[in-house]
Amino acid sequence: MTMLSFHLGPLAIPATAALLGGALLAAHGAGWLAGRRQGVSVADHLNDMLLWGALAARLGFVAIWLEQYRTQPWSMLDLRDGGFSLSAGALGALAVALWRGWKQSALRQPLTAALLAGALVWASAEAWLARTEAPLLSSQVLRSLSGSPMTLPALAQGHPTVVNLWASWCPPCRREMPLLQSAQQNKPDVRFVFANQGEDAATVNQYLQTEGLRLGHVLLDPGGALGAEYGSAALPTTLFFNTQGRLAATHLGELSAATLASKLAALRDVPHSAKDTR
């Protein structure tokens, strides 16, 4: 089963964040072991690499999707949209490591050990996550607002499909709804499905009317079955399925125009495992 997030006390932790934390811990441990005989610590350098790598990852993502940020340039600073470029981040962190190693020769061996350990843990976890095929569109029977039974494959009909798991009490869900409504109206080749988690038809109808939203394909999932099936403990969660009906990308948290565009771009590919940048 796919696991997109898990609960740690009251917090929903994205699986990718846990993976990054594990790789960072491995890097710190290997760097400490390699440097202790020489009395060299790489901890501060690794933390700097993480900081500068994150900055490079954000700048790289903004550069790629700059057009989507033009209308709201201040949103470039809002990291809650989860827009990061993994390749740009890796290059940024590596540049810091090379610079520090060139300036201080004593750092080279422990820093190299730390980087290799972190990369090994990351690559191993990625390989483990990719060992099985990405999940298909759920065949669970849900209900429309009118009470009609409906399944996701019946709605998709071979089209790329975006499934948004949301609730009316969830502030980031509410904030991203106008963006998703606009995308549904402007991208008729993509099916957008809004699967409400845990609320009844009266509550959902009242929310849509109050907010003036005109959404198609609103379904009710009173038991949160889709969230459980896809391993998501957080709202909003948005799932992106390709034309084969397989999960191609995921996003935890509020979408921006740029992150939505980046995820929709993934639907042009036919990956073998689910992707997630957050």
Side-chain angles (χ1 to χ4, degrees):
M1 184 185 75
T2 303
M3 184 179 70
L4 303 181
S5 62
F6 59 92
H7 278 297
L8 184 62
L11 300 176
I13 307 298
T16 50
L19 174 55
L20 177 61
L24 186 62
L25 284 174
H28 273 279
W32 176 78
L33 287 172
R36 62 177 179 171
R37 289 185 179 179
Q38 305 172 45
V40 176
S41 172
V42 297
D44 290 341
H45 302 284
L46 290 174
N47 292 335
D48 289 345
M49 287 171 57
L50 179 64
L51 175 63
W52 286 102
L55 178 60
R58 180 60 176 181
L59 291 176
F61 182 86
V62 169
I64 294 169
W65 302 103
L66 184 60
E67 189 62 33
Q68 282 70 28
Y69 284 108
R70 287 190 188 278
T71 57
Q72 295 180 314
W74 58 88
S75 64
M76 297 179 190
L77 303 177
D78 188 355
L79 303 183
R80 293 176 301 176
D81 72 355
F84 296 94
S85 168
L86 179 59
S87 56
L91 287 174
L94 183 59
V96 173
L98 291 173
W99 172 255
R100 298 290 173 86
W102 179 72
K103 295 281 287 183
Q104 302 178 53
S105 59
L107 287 175
R108 294 171 189 170
Q109 182 179 351
L111 202 53
T112 298
L115 291 176
L116 289 176
L120 179 61
V121 169
W122 179 275
S124 299
E126 286 284 303
W128 183 79
L129 291 174
R131 74 196 188 286
T132 57
E133 278 194 306
L136 290 163
L137 282 163
S138 174
S139 59
Q140 297 192 56
V141 178
L142 304 178
R143 297 280 174 179
S144 68
L145 291 177
S146 64
S148 302
M150 186 62 64
T151 65
L152 296 181
L155 283 174
Q157 296 182 338
H159 289 78
T161 302
V162 178
V163 180
N164 181 249
L165 308 183
W166 68 285
S168 66
W169 49 261
C170 163
C173 302
R174 298 167 70 100
R175 289 194 298 266
E176 71 180 4
M177 276 297 172
L179 173 68
L180 290 170
Q181 175 179 254
S182 177
Q184 186 177 55
Q185 294 169 351
N186 295 325
K187 297 184 179 296
D189 57 323
V190 179
R191 295 284 191 266
F192 285 82
V193 181
F194 301 89
N196 180 272
Q197 302 293 285
E199 297 179 303
D200 58 27
T203 301
V204 174
N205 272 318
Q206 182 179 5
Y207 165 72
L208 296 177
Q209 292 172 9
T210 301
E211 298 297 321
L213 293 169
R214 297 183 177 274
L215 303 175
H217 307 320
V218 178
L219 302 180
L220 301 176
D221 183 9
L226 290 182
E229 180 172 345
Y230 291 108
S232 176
L235 293 180
T237 292
T238 310
L239 311 169
F240 298 80
F241 296 86
N242 59 31
T243 54
Q244 285 71 42
R246 289 201 177 275
L247 190 64
T250 64
H251 187 85
L252 305 182
E254 183 179 350
L255 286 159
S256 67
T259 49
L260 178 58
S262 71
K263 300 298 184 178
L264 290 175
L267 299 185
R268 293 195 289 264
D269 305 322
V270 185
H272 296 291
S273 62
K275 300 176 182 177
D276 186 18
T277 59
R278 183 175 180 178

